[in-house]
Coordinates of all heavy atoms in Angstrom, one line a residue:
V209 N 116.2 9.6 104.8 CA 117.1 9.9 103.7 C 116.3 10.0 102.4 O 116.5 10.9 101.6 CB 118.2 8.8 103.5 CG1 119.0 9.0 102.3 CG2 119.1 8.7 104.8
E210 N 115.4 9.1 102.2 CA 114.6 9.0 100.9 C 113.7 10.2 100.7 O 113.6 10.8 99.6 CB 113.9 7.7 100.8 CG 114.8 6.5 100.7 CD 114.1 5.2 100.9 OE1 112.8 5.2 101.2 OE2 114.7 4.1 100.9
D211 N 112.9 10.6 101.8 CA 112.0 11.7 101.7 C 112.7 13.0 101.4 O 112.3 13.8 100.6 CB 111.2 11.8 102.9 CG 110.1 10.7 103.1 OD1 110.0 9.9 102.1 OD2 109.5 10.6 104.1
L212 N 113.9 13.2 102.1 CA 114.7 14.4 101.8 C 115.2 14.4 100.4 O 115.2 15.5 99.8 CB 115.8 14.5 102.9 CG 116.6 15.8 103.0 CD1 115.6 17.0 103.2 CD2 117.6 15.7 104.1
A213 N 115.7 13.3 99.9 CA 116.2 13.2 98.6 C 115.1 13.5 97.5 O 115.4 13.9 96.4 CB 116.8 11.8 98.3
D214 N 113.9 13.3 97.9 CA 112.7 13.5 96.9 C 112.3 15.0 96.8 O 111.5 15.3 96.0 CB 111.5 12.7 97.3 CG 111.7 11.2 97.0 OD1 112.5 10.9 96.1 OD2 110.9 10.4 97.5
I215 N 112.9 15.8 97.7 CA 112.5 17.2 97.6 C 113.1 17.8 96.4 O 114.3 17.9 96.2 CB 113.0 18.0 98.9 CG1 112.4 17.3 100.2 CG2 112.7 19.5 98.8 CD1 110.9 17.4 100.2
A216 N 112.3 18.4 95.5 CA 112.7 19.0 94.3 C 112.8 20.5 94.4 O 111.9 21.1 95.0 CB 111.8 18.6 93.1
L217 N 113.9 21.1 94.0 CA 114.1 22.5 94.0 C 113.9 23.2 92.7 O 114.1 22.5 91.7 CB 115.5 22.8 94.6 CG 115.9 22.2 95.9 CD1 117.4 22.5 96.2 CD2 115.0 22.8 97.0
R218 N 113.6 24.5 92.7 CA 113.4 25.2 91.5 C 114.8 25.7 91.0 O 115.5 26.4 91.7 CB 112.5 26.4 91.7 CG 111.1 26.1 92.1 CD 110.3 27.4 92.4 NE 110.3 28.3 91.2 CZ 110.1 29.7 91.4 NH1 110.0 30.2 92.6 NH2 110.1 30.4 90.3
Q219 N 115.1 25.3 89.8 CA 116.4 25.9 89.2 C 116.1 27.2 88.6 O 115.2 27.4 87.8 CB 117.0 24.9 88.2 CG 118.3 25.4 87.6 CD 119.0 24.4 86.7 OE1 119.3 23.3 87.3 NE2 119.2 24.7 85.5
R220 N 117.0 28.2 88.9 CA 116.9 29.6 88.4 C 118.2 29.9 87.7 O 119.3 29.5 88.2 CB 116.6 30.6 89.4 CG 115.3 30.3 90.2 CD 114.1 30.3 89.4 NE 113.9 31.6 88.6 CZ 113.4 32.7 89.1 NH1 112.9 32.7 90.4 NH2 113.3 33.8 88.4
V221 N 118.2 30.7 86.6 CA 119.4 31.0 85.9 C 119.5 32.5 85.7 O 118.6 33.3 85.9 CB 119.4 30.3 84.5 CG1 119.5 28.8 84.7 CG2 118.2 30.7 83.7
L222 N 120.7 33.0 85.4 CA 121.0 34.4 85.0 C 120.6 35.3 86.2 O 120.0 36.3 86.0 CB 120.4 34.8 83.7 CG 120.7 33.9 82.5 CD1 119.9 34.4 81.3 CD2 122.2 34.0 82.2
R223 N 121.1 35.0 87.4 CA 120.7 35.7 88.6 C 121.9 36.5 89.2 O 121.7 37.1 90.3 CB 120.1 34.7 89.6 CG 119.0 33.8 89.1 CD 117.7 34.6 89.0 NE 117.2 34.9 90.3 CZ 116.0 35.5 90.5 NH1 115.3 35.9 89.4 NH2 115.6 35.8 91.7
D224 N 123.0 36.5 88.6 CA 124.2 37.2 89.1 C 124.5 36.7 90.5 O 124.2 37.3 91.5 CB 124.1 38.7 89.1 CG 125.4 39.4 89.6 OD1 126.4 38.7 89.7 OD2 125.4 40.6 89.8
M225 N 125.1 35.5 90.6 CA 125.4 34.9 91.9 C 126.9 35.1 92.3 O 127.5 34.2 93.0 CB 125.1 33.4 91.8 CG 123.6 33.2 91.5 SD 122.5 33.9 92.7 CE 123.0 32.9 94.2
S226 N 127.5 36.2 91.8 CA 128.9 36.4 92.1 C 129.2 36.6 93.6 O 130.3 36.4 94.1 CB 129.4 37.6 91.3 OG 128.6 38.8 91.5
E227 N 128.2 37.1 94.3 CA 128.3 37.3 95.8 C 127.4 36.4 96.5 O 126.1 36.6 96.4 CB 128.1 38.8 96.2 CG 129.1 39.7 95.6 CD 128.9 41.1 96.1 OE1 128.1 41.3 97.0 OE2 129.6 42.1 95.6
L228 N 127.9 35.4 97.2 CA 127.1 34.4 97.9 C 127.6 34.2 99.3 O 128.8 34.1 99.4 CB 127.1 33.1 97.0 CG 126.2 32.0 97.4 CD1 125.8 31.2 96.1 CD2 126.8 31.1 98.4
S229 N 126.7 34.0 100.2 CA 127.2 33.9 101.6 C 126.4 32.7 102.3 O 125.2 32.6 102.2 CB 127.0 35.2 102.4 OG 127.3 35.0 103.8
L230 N 127.2 31.9 103.1 CA 126.6 30.9 103.9 C 126.5 31.3 105.3 O 126.0 30.5 106.1 CB 127.5 29.6 103.8 CG 127.8 29.0 102.4 CD1 128.6 27.7 102.6 CD2 126.5 28.8 101.6
Q231 N 126.9 32.4 105.7 CA 127.0 32.8 107.1 C 125.6 33.0 107.7 O 124.7 33.4 107.0 CB 127.8 34.1 107.2 CG 129.3 33.9 107.1 CD 130.0 35.2 107.5 OE1 129.6 36.3 107.3 NE2 131.2 35.0 108.1
T232 N 125.5 32.7 109.0 CA 124.3 32.9 109.7 C 124.6 33.2 111.2 O 125.7 33.1 111.6 CB 123.4 31.6 109.6 OG1 122.1 31.9 110.1 CG2 124.0 30.5 110.4
E233 N 123.6 33.6 111.9 CA 123.7 33.8 113.4 C 122.8 32.9 114.1 O 121.6 32.8 113.7 CB 123.5 35.3 113.7 CG 123.7 35.5 115.2 CD 123.6 37.0 115.6 OE1 124.2 37.8 114.9 OE2 122.9 37.3 116.5
L234 N 123.3 32.2 115.1 CA 122.4 31.3 115.9 C 122.8 31.4 117.4 O 123.9 31.3 117.8 CB 122.7 29.8 115.4 CG 121.7 28.8 115.6 CD1 120.4 29.1 114.9 CD2 122.2 27.4 115.1
F235 N 121.8 31.8 118.1 CA 121.9 31.9 119.6 C 123.0 32.9 119.9 O 123.9 32.6 120.8 CB 122.1 30.6 120.2 CG 121.1 29.5 119.8 CD1 121.5 28.3 119.3 CD2 119.7 29.8 120.0 CE1 120.5 27.4 118.9 CE2 118.8 28.9 119.6 CZ 119.2 27.6 119.1
G236 N 123.0 34.0 119.2 CA 124.0 35.1 119.5 C 125.4 34.8 119.0 O 126.3 35.6 119.4
R237 N 125.6 33.9 118.2 CA 126.9 33.5 117.7 C 126.9 33.4 116.1 O 126.0 32.9 115.5 CB 127.3 32.2 118.3 CG 128.6 31.6 117.7 CD 129.0 30.4 118.4 NE 130.1 29.6 117.7 CZ 130.4 28.4 118.1 NH1 129.8 27.8 119.1 NH2 131.4 27.8 117.4
S238 N 127.9 34.0 115.5 CA 128.0 33.9 114.1 C 128.6 32.6 113.7 O 129.6 32.1 114.2 CB 128.9 35.1 113.6 OG 129.1 35.0 112.2
L239 N 128.0 31.9 112.7 CA 128.5 30.7 112.2 C 128.8 30.8 110.7 O 128.1 31.5 110.0 CB 127.4 29.6 112.3 CG 126.9 29.3 113.8 CD1 125.8 28.2 113.7 CD2 128.1 28.8 114.6
A240 N 129.8 30.1 110.3 CA 130.3 30.2 108.9 C 129.3 29.5 107.9 O 129.3 29.8 106.7 CB 131.6 29.5 108.7
M241 N 128.5 28.6 108.4 CA 127.4 28.0 107.6 C 126.3 27.5 108.6 O 126.6 27.3 109.8 CB 128.0 26.8 106.8 CG 128.7 25.8 107.6 SD 129.8 24.6 106.6 CE 128.5 23.7 105.7
P242 N 125.1 27.2 108.1 CA 124.0 26.9 109.0 C 124.0 25.4 109.4 O 123.1 24.7 109.2 CB 122.8 27.2 108.1 CG 123.2 26.9 106.7 CD 124.7 27.4 106.7
V243 N 125.1 25.0 110.0 CA 125.4 23.6 110.3 C 126.0 23.6 111.7 O 126.9 24.4 112.0 CB 126.3 22.9 109.3 CG1 126.7 21.6 109.8 CG2 125.6 22.8 107.9
A244 N 125.6 22.6 112.5 CA 126.4 22.3 113.8 C 126.5 20.8 113.8 O 125.7 20.0 113.2 CB 125.6 22.8 115.0
L245 N 127.5 20.3 114.6 CA 127.7 18.9 114.7 C 126.8 18.4 115.9 O 126.9 19.0 117.0 CB 129.2 18.5 115.0 CG 130.2 18.9 113.9 CD1 131.5 18.4 114.2 CD2 129.7 18.5 112.5
A246 N 126.1 17.4 115.7 CA 125.1 16.9 116.6 C 125.7 16.1 117.7 O 126.9 15.6 117.6 CB 124.0 16.0 115.9
P247 N 125.1 15.9 118.9 CA 125.6 15.0 119.9 C 125.4 13.5 119.5 O 124.3 13.1 119.1 CB 124.7 15.3 121.1 CG 123.4 15.8 120.5 CD 123.8 16.5 119.2
V248 N 126.5 12.8 119.5 CA 126.5 11.4 119.2 C 127.2 10.6 120.3 O 128.4 10.9 120.6 CB 127.2 11.1 117.8 CG1 127.2 9.6 117.5 CG2 126.5 11.9 116.7
G249 N 126.5 9.7 120.9 CA 127.1 9.0 122.0 C 128.2 8.1 121.6 O 128.3 7.6 120.4

């Protein structure tokens, strides 16, 4: 958790972000976002 929280990103402005998509393709399947639920016993 801590190492990931320490990752700093570059902020950019005035980039016209009116069209933004989270969609991706994984193993031949379209996903609405780049996330899957992991196996939890």
Side-chain angles (χ1 to χ4, degrees):
V209 176
E210 293 167 359
D211 288 353
L212 190 54
D214 283 342
I215 302 300
L217 302 176
R218 295 175 61 201
Q219 180 169 300
R220 304 298 305 276
V221 298
L222 303 176
R223 306 285 289 181
D224 184 9
M225 300 301 295
S226 55
E227 295 186 9
L228 188 151
S229 174
L230 305 184
Q231 287 191 322
T232 190
E233 185 175 310
L234 204 59
F235 309 125
R237 175 177 166 188
S238 178
L239 301 179
M241 55 194 294
V243 170
L245 301 188
V248 177

